[in-house]
Amino acid sequence: GQQVMQIPQYQHVQEGEDFTTYCNSSTTLSNIQWYKQRPGGHPVFLIQLVKSGEVKKQKRLTFQFGEAKKNSSLHITATQTTDVGTYFCAPATDSWGKLQFGAGTQVVVTP
Amino acid sequence: DTEVTQTPKHLVMGMTNKKSLKCEQHMGHRAMYWYKQKAKKPPELMFVYSYEKLSINESVPSRFSPECPNSSLLNLHLHALQPEDSALYLCASSQDTGLAGTQYFGPGTRLLVL
């Protein structure tokens, strides 16, 4: 079945620094969603990418879908303490839209 | 209203108890989901309901029994659970199943089985 690898699993960032989390698949993806889960919270939808090479921005967050639609990345610039949480990529695995969550990148921000 | 609500927020139960988790959404969504999430792990899909019918059961043990009384409500009935079933149980909904289905998650029920 489809395997999704998300790296790194843990990211310690100094406030103001940039970082990137990556999601890699062994198969071509139809689409991919990204979610953020704050400590003690629930996953919250961030973005959906559908097209090859697609790039979407949300303020300091930049999401990218690879040209081959086998990988995706989330880049955060000028990290703030509000960025703390776990970021999950979640490709749809079939026509039902069933999501396969990656292991997540847990982000810790130090002031 | 883009909210999915879940009750209770916390639940402690013994292995012989029967309890139910409840989920509600008023966004007119026709797909609803149950996920299980262990600490520091991603959510794992348990069940999918589409138009009030069970569409997907991810080989979940029969001690978990889902129910969809109507398009706004989703229940998860629990019976004879094991301590390893302790987890955060998340409900989610989306407008429909299918590739464009953005999922809205509820706050979850934190379950502890003693």
Short mmCIF file of all heavy atoms in Angstrom, two decimals, chain A residues 30-31 33 35 37 39-45 48 88 92-99 101-104 106, chain B residues 33 35 37 40-43 45 48 50 55-56 58 88 90 97-103 105-108 110:
data_model
loop_
_atom_site.label_atom_id
_atom_site.label_comp_id
_atom_site.label_asym_id
_atom_site.label_seq_id
_atom_site.Cartn_x
_atom_site.Cartn_y
_atom_site.Cartn_z
N SER A 30 -2.83 11.83 -5.69
CA SER A 30 -3.88 12.62 -6.35
C SER A 30 -3.92 14.02 -5.76
O SER A 30 -4.04 15.00 -6.48
CB SER A 30 -5.24 11.94 -6.15
OG SER A 30 -5.24 10.66 -6.70
N ASN A 31 -3.88 14.07 -4.45
CA ASN A 31 -3.80 15.36 -3.79
C ASN A 31 -3.19 15.17 -2.43
O ASN A 31 -2.95 14.04 -2.00
CB ASN A 31 -5.17 16.05 -3.69
CG ASN A 31 -6.12 15.36 -2.72
OD1 ASN A 31 -5.70 14.65 -1.84
ND2 ASN A 31 -7.40 15.59 -2.88
N GLN A 33 -3.20 17.01 1.64
CA GLN A 33 -3.65 18.02 2.57
C GLN A 33 -2.62 18.16 3.69
O GLN A 33 -1.87 17.22 3.96
CB GLN A 33 -5.02 17.66 3.15
CG GLN A 33 -6.12 17.54 2.09
CD GLN A 33 -7.46 17.17 2.68
OE1 GLN A 33 -7.68 17.24 3.88
NE2 GLN A 33 -8.38 16.78 1.81
N TYR A 35 -2.33 19.46 7.82
CA TYR A 35 -3.06 19.78 9.04
C TYR A 35 -2.08 20.18 10.13
O TYR A 35 -0.94 19.71 10.15
CB TYR A 35 -3.88 18.57 9.53
CG TYR A 35 -5.07 18.23 8.66
CD1 TYR A 35 -4.92 17.53 7.47
CD2 TYR A 35 -6.36 18.62 9.03
CE1 TYR A 35 -6.00 17.23 6.67
CE2 TYR A 35 -7.46 18.31 8.24
CZ TYR A 35 -7.27 17.61 7.07
OH TYR A 35 -8.35 17.32 6.27
N GLN A 37 -1.80 20.41 14.41
CA GLN A 37 -2.42 20.04 15.68
C GLN A 37 -1.61 20.68 16.81
O GLN A 37 -0.44 20.35 17.02
CB GLN A 37 -2.46 18.51 15.85
CG GLN A 37 -3.21 18.04 17.08
CD GLN A 37 -3.42 16.53 17.09
OE1 GLN A 37 -2.75 15.79 16.37
NE2 GLN A 37 -4.37 16.05 17.89
N PRO A 39 -0.60 21.40 20.75
CA PRO A 39 -0.55 20.50 21.92
C PRO A 39 -1.89 20.48 22.65
O PRO A 39 -2.46 21.52 22.96
CB PRO A 39 0.55 21.13 22.78
CG PRO A 39 1.42 21.87 21.82
CD PRO A 39 0.50 22.38 20.75
N GLY A 40 -2.42 19.28 22.87
CA GLY A 40 -3.71 19.14 23.55
C GLY A 40 -4.91 19.44 22.66
O GLY A 40 -6.05 19.44 23.14
N GLY A 41 -4.66 19.73 21.40
CA GLY A 41 -5.75 20.11 20.50
C GLY A 41 -6.08 19.05 19.49
O GLY A 41 -5.70 17.88 19.64
N HIS A 42 -6.79 19.45 18.45
CA HIS A 42 -7.20 18.54 17.41
C HIS A 42 -6.65 19.03 16.07
O HIS A 42 -6.29 20.20 15.93
CB HIS A 42 -8.72 18.44 17.36
CG HIS A 42 -9.41 19.75 17.12
ND1 HIS A 42 -9.68 20.65 18.12
CD2 HIS A 42 -9.87 20.31 15.98
CE1 HIS A 42 -10.28 21.70 17.62
NE2 HIS A 42 -10.41 21.53 16.31
N PRO A 43 -6.56 18.16 15.07
CA PRO A 43 -6.04 18.58 13.77
C PRO A 43 -6.92 19.65 13.14
O PRO A 43 -8.16 19.55 13.16
CB PRO A 43 -6.07 17.30 12.94
CG PRO A 43 -6.07 16.19 13.94
CD PRO A 43 -6.84 16.71 15.10
N VAL A 44 -6.28 20.66 12.59
CA VAL A 44 -6.96 21.75 11.90
C VAL A 44 -6.43 21.83 10.48
O VAL A 44 -5.21 21.86 10.27
CB VAL A 44 -6.75 23.09 12.63
CG1 VAL A 44 -7.37 24.24 11.82
CG2 VAL A 44 -7.35 23.05 14.03
N PHE A 45 -7.33 21.85 9.54
CA PHE A 45 -6.96 21.89 8.12
C PHE A 45 -6.22 23.18 7.81
O PHE A 45 -6.62 24.27 8.21
CB PHE A 45 -8.23 21.79 7.28
CG PHE A 45 -8.01 21.99 5.81
CD1 PHE A 45 -7.51 20.97 5.03
CD2 PHE A 45 -8.32 23.21 5.21
CE1 PHE A 45 -7.33 21.14 3.67
CE2 PHE A 45 -8.14 23.39 3.85
CZ PHE A 45 -7.65 22.35 3.07
N GLN A 48 -4.89 22.41 0.89
CA GLN A 48 -4.93 21.25 0.02
C GLN A 48 -4.21 21.59 -1.27
O GLN A 48 -4.41 22.65 -1.85
CB GLN A 48 -6.37 20.84 -0.29
CG GLN A 48 -6.47 19.67 -1.26
CD GLN A 48 -7.87 19.12 -1.40
OE1 GLN A 48 -8.22 18.13 -0.77
NE2 GLN A 48 -8.66 19.76 -2.23
N PHE A 88 0.98 17.69 10.14
CA PHE A 88 0.78 16.43 9.45
C PHE A 88 0.51 16.68 7.96
O PHE A 88 -0.30 17.54 7.62
CB PHE A 88 -0.44 15.68 10.00
CG PHE A 88 -0.30 15.20 11.42
CD1 PHE A 88 -0.91 15.88 12.46
CD2 PHE A 88 0.41 14.04 11.70
CE1 PHE A 88 -0.81 15.43 13.77
CE2 PHE A 88 0.50 13.57 13.02
CZ PHE A 88 -0.10 14.27 14.05
N ALA A 92 -4.57 11.91 0.07
CA ALA A 92 -5.75 11.09 -0.14
C ALA A 92 -5.29 9.79 -0.79
O ALA A 92 -4.49 9.82 -1.73
CB ALA A 92 -6.76 11.79 -1.03
N THR A 93 -5.78 8.67 -0.29
CA THR A 93 -5.24 7.38 -0.76
C THR A 93 -6.13 6.70 -1.79
O THR A 93 -5.70 5.77 -2.44
CB THR A 93 -5.06 6.42 0.43
OG1 THR A 93 -6.34 6.24 1.07
CG2 THR A 93 -4.08 6.97 1.43
N ASP A 94 -7.35 7.14 -1.90
CA ASP A 94 -8.24 6.49 -2.86
C ASP A 94 -9.37 7.45 -3.23
O ASP A 94 -9.40 8.59 -2.78
CB ASP A 94 -8.80 5.18 -2.28
CG ASP A 94 -9.55 5.40 -0.96
OD1 ASP A 94 -10.04 6.53 -0.72
OD2 ASP A 94 -9.63 4.46 -0.17
N SER A 95 -10.26 6.97 -4.07
CA SER A 95 -11.32 7.85 -4.57
C SER A 95 -12.30 8.25 -3.47
O SER A 95 -13.08 9.18 -3.64
CB SER A 95 -12.08 7.18 -5.71
OG SER A 95 -12.64 5.96 -5.26
N TRP A 96 -12.26 7.54 -2.34
CA TRP A 96 -13.11 7.93 -1.22
C TRP A 96 -12.56 9.15 -0.50
O TRP A 96 -13.23 9.73 0.34
CB TRP A 96 -13.21 6.77 -0.21
CG TRP A 96 -14.18 5.73 -0.63
CD1 TRP A 96 -13.93 4.55 -1.24
CD2 TRP A 96 -15.60 5.77 -0.45
NE1 TRP A 96 -15.09 3.86 -1.45
CE2 TRP A 96 -16.13 4.57 -0.98
CE3 TRP A 96 -16.47 6.71 0.12
CZ2 TRP A 96 -17.49 4.29 -0.97
CZ3 TRP A 96 -17.83 6.42 0.14
CH2 TRP A 96 -18.31 5.22 -0.40
N GLY A 97 -11.33 9.51 -0.83
CA GLY A 97 -10.73 10.64 -0.12
C GLY A 97 -10.17 10.25 1.22
O GLY A 97 -9.91 11.10 2.07
N LYS A 98 -9.97 8.94 1.43
CA LYS A 98 -9.44 8.47 2.70
C LYS A 98 -8.04 9.05 2.88
O LYS A 98 -7.20 8.95 1.98
CB LYS A 98 -9.37 6.94 2.66
CG LYS A 98 -9.36 6.29 4.01
CD LYS A 98 -9.64 4.80 3.88
CE LYS A 98 -8.47 4.05 3.32
NZ LYS A 98 -8.70 2.58 3.38
N LEU A 99 -7.79 9.67 4.01
CA LEU A 99 -6.51 10.32 4.25
C LEU A 99 -5.56 9.37 4.95
O LEU A 99 -5.93 8.65 5.87
CB LEU A 99 -6.70 11.56 5.12
CG LEU A 99 -7.56 12.68 4.56
CD1 LEU A 99 -7.65 13.83 5.56
CD2 LEU A 99 -6.99 13.16 3.24
N PHE A 101 -2.44 9.83 7.10
CA PHE A 101 -1.64 10.83 7.78
C PHE A 101 -0.19 10.38 7.88
O PHE A 101 0.10 9.23 8.21
CB PHE A 101 -2.18 11.08 9.19
CG PHE A 101 -3.39 11.97 9.23
CD1 PHE A 101 -4.65 11.47 8.96
CD2 PHE A 101 -3.27 13.33 9.50
CE1 PHE A 101 -5.77 12.28 8.99
CE2 PHE A 101 -4.37 14.15 9.53
CZ PHE A 101 -5.63 13.63 9.27
N GLY A 102 0.72 11.33 7.60
CA GLY A 102 2.12 11.08 7.88
C GLY A 102 2.35 11.06 9.38
O GLY A 102 1.45 11.38 10.16
N ALA A 103 3.57 10.71 9.78
CA ALA A 103 3.88 10.60 11.21
C ALA A 103 3.86 11.96 11.90
O ALA A 103 3.73 12.04 13.12
CB ALA A 103 5.24 9.95 11.40
N GLY A 104 3.99 13.03 11.12
CA GLY A 104 3.94 14.37 11.70
C GLY A 104 5.30 14.91 12.03
O GLY A 104 6.25 14.16 12.30
N GLN A 106 6.80 17.40 14.80
CA GLN A 106 6.51 18.14 16.03
C GLN A 106 7.46 19.32 16.11
O GLN A 106 8.69 19.15 16.10
CB GLN A 106 6.67 17.25 17.26
CG GLN A 106 6.32 17.96 18.56
CD GLN A 106 6.54 17.09 19.79
OE1 GLN A 106 6.81 15.89 19.68
NE2 GLN A 106 6.43 17.69 20.95
N TYR B 33 -16.56 10.82 10.08
CA TYR B 33 -15.45 9.90 10.31
C TYR B 33 -15.18 9.74 11.81
O TYR B 33 -15.34 10.68 12.58
CB TYR B 33 -14.16 10.47 9.68
CG TYR B 33 -14.27 10.93 8.25
CD1 TYR B 33 -14.85 12.15 7.94
CD2 TYR B 33 -13.76 10.16 7.21
CE1 TYR B 33 -14.95 12.59 6.62
CE2 TYR B 33 -13.85 10.59 5.90
CZ TYR B 33 -14.44 11.81 5.62
OH TYR B 33 -14.53 12.24 4.31
N TYR B 35 -11.80 8.67 14.09
CA TYR B 35 -10.38 8.39 14.13
C TYR B 35 -9.97 8.07 15.57
O TYR B 35 -10.57 8.57 16.53
CB TYR B 35 -9.56 9.63 13.71
CG TYR B 35 -9.58 9.96 12.25
CD1 TYR B 35 -10.59 10.76 11.71
CD2 TYR B 35 -8.57 9.52 11.40
CE1 TYR B 35 -10.60 11.10 10.36
CE2 TYR B 35 -8.56 9.86 10.05
CZ TYR B 35 -9.58 10.65 9.55
OH TYR B 35 -9.57 10.99 8.22
N GLN B 37 -6.46 8.32 17.97
CA GLN B 37 -5.12 8.89 18.00
C GLN B 37 -4.45 8.59 19.33
O GLN B 37 -4.90 9.03 20.38
CB GLN B 37 -5.15 10.40 17.76
CG GLN B 37 -3.76 11.00 17.62
CD GLN B 37 -3.77 12.48 17.30
OE1 GLN B 37 -4.70 13.20 17.67
NE2 GLN B 37 -2.74 12.95 16.62
N LYS B 40 1.40 11.15 20.57
CA LYS B 40 2.54 11.38 19.67
C LYS B 40 2.47 10.55 18.40
O LYS B 40 3.49 10.26 17.77
CB LYS B 40 3.86 11.13 20.40
CG LYS B 40 4.07 12.04 21.60
CD LYS B 40 5.49 12.03 22.08
CE LYS B 40 5.70 12.95 23.27
NZ LYS B 40 5.40 14.36 22.97
N LYS B 41 1.25 10.16 18.01
CA LYS B 41 1.04 9.42 16.77
C LYS B 41 0.03 10.16 15.91
O LYS B 41 -0.73 10.98 16.41
CB LYS B 41 0.51 8.01 17.08
CG LYS B 41 1.49 7.13 17.84
CD LYS B 41 2.68 6.77 16.98
CE LYS B 41 3.59 5.79 17.71
NZ LYS B 41 4.81 5.48 16.90
N PRO B 42 -0.01 9.86 14.62
CA PRO B 42 -1.03 10.50 13.77
C PRO B 42 -2.39 9.87 13.98
O PRO B 42 -2.48 8.73 14.49
CB PRO B 42 -0.51 10.21 12.35
CG PRO B 42 0.31 8.97 12.49
CD PRO B 42 0.94 9.03 13.85
N PRO B 43 -3.44 10.55 13.60
CA PRO B 43 -4.78 9.95 13.66
C PRO B 43 -4.87 8.73 12.75
O PRO B 43 -4.33 8.72 11.65
CB PRO B 43 -5.71 11.06 13.17
CG PRO B 43 -4.93 12.32 13.32
CD PRO B 43 -3.49 11.94 13.12
N LEU B 45 -7.63 6.21 10.90
CA LEU B 45 -9.03 6.11 10.52
C LEU B 45 -9.64 4.81 11.05
O LEU B 45 -9.02 3.74 10.97
CB LEU B 45 -9.16 6.15 8.99
CG LEU B 45 -10.56 6.13 8.44
CD1 LEU B 45 -11.32 7.40 8.82
CD2 LEU B 45 -10.53 5.96 6.92
N VAL B 48 -15.84 5.33 8.26
CA VAL B 48 -16.34 6.43 7.44
C VAL B 48 -17.82 6.19 7.17
O VAL B 48 -18.21 5.09 6.77
CB VAL B 48 -15.60 6.54 6.08
CG1 VAL B 48 -16.19 7.69 5.26
CG2 VAL B 48 -14.11 6.72 6.29
N SER B 50 -20.95 7.73 4.86
CA SER B 50 -21.29 8.60 3.75
C SER B 50 -22.80 8.53 3.56
O SER B 50 -23.35 7.44 3.37
CB SER B 50 -20.58 8.15 2.48
OG SER B 50 -20.96 8.93 1.38
N SER B 55 -19.50 3.29 5.13
CA SER B 55 -18.80 3.06 3.87
C SER B 55 -17.48 2.33 4.07
O SER B 55 -17.06 1.55 3.24
CB SER B 55 -18.52 4.39 3.17
OG SER B 55 -19.71 5.09 2.95
N ILE B 56 -16.79 2.67 5.15
CA ILE B 56 -15.48 2.09 5.39
C ILE B 56 -15.38 1.69 6.86
O ILE B 56 -15.71 2.47 7.75
CB ILE B 56 -14.35 3.09 5.05
CG1 ILE B 56 -14.36 3.41 3.56
CG2 ILE B 56 -12.99 2.53 5.47
CD1 ILE B 56 -13.35 4.47 3.14
N GLU B 58 -12.25 0.14 8.96
CA GLU B 58 -10.84 -0.21 8.83
C GLU B 58 -10.48 -1.38 9.74
O GLU B 58 -9.56 -1.29 10.57
CB GLU B 58 -9.96 1.02 9.14
CG GLU B 58 -10.06 2.10 8.10
CD GLU B 58 -9.37 1.72 6.81
OE1 GLU B 58 -8.14 1.83 6.71
OE2 GLU B 58 -10.09 1.32 5.87
N LEU B 88 -7.16 9.26 22.24
CA LEU B 88 -8.03 10.38 21.88
C LEU B 88 -8.87 9.93 20.68
O LEU B 88 -8.32 9.47 19.67
CB LEU B 88 -7.18 11.59 21.49
CG LEU B 88 -7.93 12.83 21.00
CD1 LEU B 88 -8.76 13.44 22.13
CD2 LEU B 88 -6.94 13.86 20.45
N LEU B 90 -11.29 11.03 17.80
CA LEU B 90 -11.62 12.23 17.04
C LEU B 90 -12.73 11.92 16.05
O LEU B 90 -12.70 10.90 15.35
CB LEU B 90 -10.41 12.73 16.27
CG LEU B 90 -9.24 13.25 17.10
CD1 LEU B 90 -7.97 13.25 16.26
CD2 LEU B 90 -9.54 14.64 17.62
N THR B 97 -17.52 12.55 0.67
CA THR B 97 -16.30 11.78 0.48
C THR B 97 -15.76 12.13 -0.90
O THR B 97 -16.41 12.82 -1.68
CB THR B 97 -16.57 10.26 0.56
OG1 THR B 97 -17.61 9.95 -0.37
CG2 THR B 97 -17.00 9.87 1.95
N GLY B 98 -14.57 11.70 -1.18
CA GLY B 98 -13.99 12.05 -2.46
C GLY B 98 -12.73 12.86 -2.29
O GLY B 98 -12.42 13.34 -1.21
N LEU B 99 -12.01 13.05 -3.36
CA LEU B 99 -10.67 13.60 -3.28
C LEU B 99 -10.62 15.03 -2.79
O LEU B 99 -9.61 15.49 -2.30
CB LEU B 99 -10.00 13.51 -4.66
CG LEU B 99 -9.71 12.09 -5.13
CD1 LEU B 99 -9.13 12.11 -6.54
CD2 LEU B 99 -8.77 11.40 -4.18
N ALA B 100 -11.69 15.76 -2.91
CA ALA B 100 -11.65 17.17 -2.49
C ALA B 100 -12.13 17.36 -1.07
O ALA B 100 -12.38 18.46 -0.64
CB ALA B 100 -12.51 18.00 -3.43
N GLY B 101 -12.23 16.27 -0.30
CA GLY B 101 -12.85 16.34 1.00
C GLY B 101 -11.99 16.89 2.12
O GLY B 101 -11.30 16.13 2.80
N THR B 102 -12.02 18.19 2.33
CA THR B 102 -11.39 18.77 3.50
C THR B 102 -12.13 18.30 4.73
O THR B 102 -13.36 18.36 4.79
CB THR B 102 -11.46 20.31 3.45
OG1 THR B 102 -10.82 20.76 2.27
CG2 THR B 102 -10.80 20.91 4.68
N GLN B 103 -11.40 17.84 5.72
CA GLN B 103 -12.03 17.30 6.91
C GLN B 103 -11.92 18.27 8.08
O GLN B 103 -10.87 18.84 8.35
CB GLN B 103 -11.41 15.95 7.28
CG GLN B 103 -11.68 14.90 6.20
CD GLN B 103 -11.23 13.52 6.57
OE1 GLN B 103 -10.98 13.20 7.74
NE2 GLN B 103 -11.12 12.66 5.57
N PHE B 105 -12.26 18.58 12.05
CA PHE B 105 -12.18 17.72 13.22
C PHE B 105 -12.84 18.36 14.44
O PHE B 105 -12.77 19.58 14.64
CB PHE B 105 -10.72 17.42 13.57
CG PHE B 105 -10.09 16.41 12.66
CD1 PHE B 105 -9.60 16.78 11.42
CD2 PHE B 105 -9.99 15.08 13.04
CE1 PHE B 105 -9.01 15.85 10.57
CE2 PHE B 105 -9.41 14.14 12.20
CZ PHE B 105 -8.92 14.53 10.96
N GLY B 106 -13.44 17.51 15.26
CA GLY B 106 -13.92 17.94 16.56
C GLY B 106 -12.79 17.91 17.56
O GLY B 106 -11.68 17.45 17.25
N PRO B 107 -13.04 18.40 18.79
CA PRO B 107 -11.99 18.49 19.80
C PRO B 107 -11.57 17.13 20.37
O PRO B 107 -10.53 17.03 21.02
CB PRO B 107 -12.60 19.37 20.89
CG PRO B 107 -14.07 19.19 20.72
CD PRO B 107 -14.30 18.98 19.25
N GLY B 108 -12.38 16.11 20.14
CA GLY B 108 -12.01 14.78 20.59
C GLY B 108 -12.54 14.42 21.96
O GLY B 108 -12.93 15.28 22.76
N ARG B 110 -11.09 12.21 25.17
CA ARG B 110 -9.93 11.50 25.73
C ARG B 110 -10.45 10.35 26.58
O ARG B 110 -11.09 10.57 27.61
CB ARG B 110 -9.07 12.45 26.55
CG ARG B 110 -8.43 13.50 25.70
CD ARG B 110 -7.33 14.26 26.37
NE ARG B 110 -6.78 15.26 25.47
CZ ARG B 110 -5.85 15.02 24.55
NH1 ARG B 110 -5.32 13.81 24.47
NH2 ARG B 110 -5.43 15.97 23.74
#
